[in-house]
Structure formats: structure tokens, C-alpha cells
Amino acid sequence: MKLLTHLPDWLKNKYLLATFVFMVLILFLGRNDLFTQLSRQKELQQLNQSKEHYNQLIELERKELEGLEKNPASLEKTAREKYYMKKDGEEIFIVSEKPDSAKN
């Protein structure tokens, strides 16, 4: 008990000690501690950014679909360019540009 006589009065307060222990448990040792909450917040931000990106892609596809439904010429153009469709009796030549590394 000699040790307790040298401690200041505010360290002997049982309510303060209980509050301190509770805060340590909640902030650092619990299932939902501070570090877990920060990582979940970061993950939530990434998911929201991903959601926004995919919503933009959906909107672009929706506009393209509306254009295809209204204009038959754009429907044929898209079919030929994206899906390499052809009419009977036609031939398709696909030219791809690759960097020429043999020139150096």
C-alpha cells in the first residue's frame, strides 16, 4: 500500500480508471476497434468510387442502345465495327497496328 500513497489523487479515482480502461478496450482491443473502422471507411470509399464508375458505364451503354434503336445506319455500323459482321458476298480484312520493334 506504500505505492498508492505516492500516486496523485486523480490516479486513485476509480471512475477515471474505469473510464480509461473502457476507452482502451473500445478503441484498441474490441471487435470494431479504431483501426478496423478506418479500414472499413477506406473500403467503403473505394466501393462508392467503383459504383460511380459502373453507373457511368451503364449510362453510356444506355445512350448507345437508344441510338441503335432510333437509327438503323448506326446499328449496321456498330455491328460491322464491333462484332465484325458482314453481308453475304463480302470479305472482312482486319488491320491492326502494332509497334514495330524491329526498326531499332
Side-chain angles (χ1 to χ4, degrees):
M1 287 301 191
K2 202 175 204 184
L3 178 65
L4 292 178
T5 58
H6 295 294
L7 290 176
D9 287 338
W10 60 274
L11 282 178
K12 293 179 189 176
N13 188 345
K14 62 183 174 185
Y15 299 110
L16 182 66
L17 289 176
T19 303
F20 178 74
V21 169
F22 176 73
M23 294 301 284
V24 167
L25 286 172
I26 295 298
L27 291 177
F28 301 109
L29 302 175
R31 185 173 71 182
N32 293 320
D33 62 352
L34 182 65
F35 304 111
T36 304
Q37 291 297 324
L38 291 175
S39 67
R40 286 180 183 166
Q41 186 70 24
K42 185 177 180 181
E43 182 181 357
L44 180 64
Q45 288 175 352
Q46 290 173 347
L47 289 173
N48 283 335
Q49 288 175 351
S50 175
K51 177 183 171 185
E52 184 177 322
H53 171 73
Y54 286 119
N55 283 337
Q56 289 174 356
L57 288 179
I58 288 170
E59 189 61 33
L60 287 174
E61 293 294 326
R62 187 172 290 135
K63 287 179 182 178
E64 184 178 340
L65 178 63
E66 287 176 6
L68 292 175
E69 289 174 346
K70 292 179 182 178
N71 190 357
S74 68
L75 179 65
E76 182 179 347
K77 179 182 176 188
T78 302
R80 287 175 174 267
E81 289 178 357
K82 279 190 172 181
Y83 303 109
Y84 305 116
M85 293 183 174
K86 63 179 184 149
K87 292 182 180 179
D88 292 335
E90 288 183 341
E91 292 183 24
I92 295 179
F93 296 97
I94 300 172
V95 178
S96 63
E97 296 181 20
K98 293 184 180 178
D100 201 11
S101 61
K103 288 183 178 181
N104 293 334

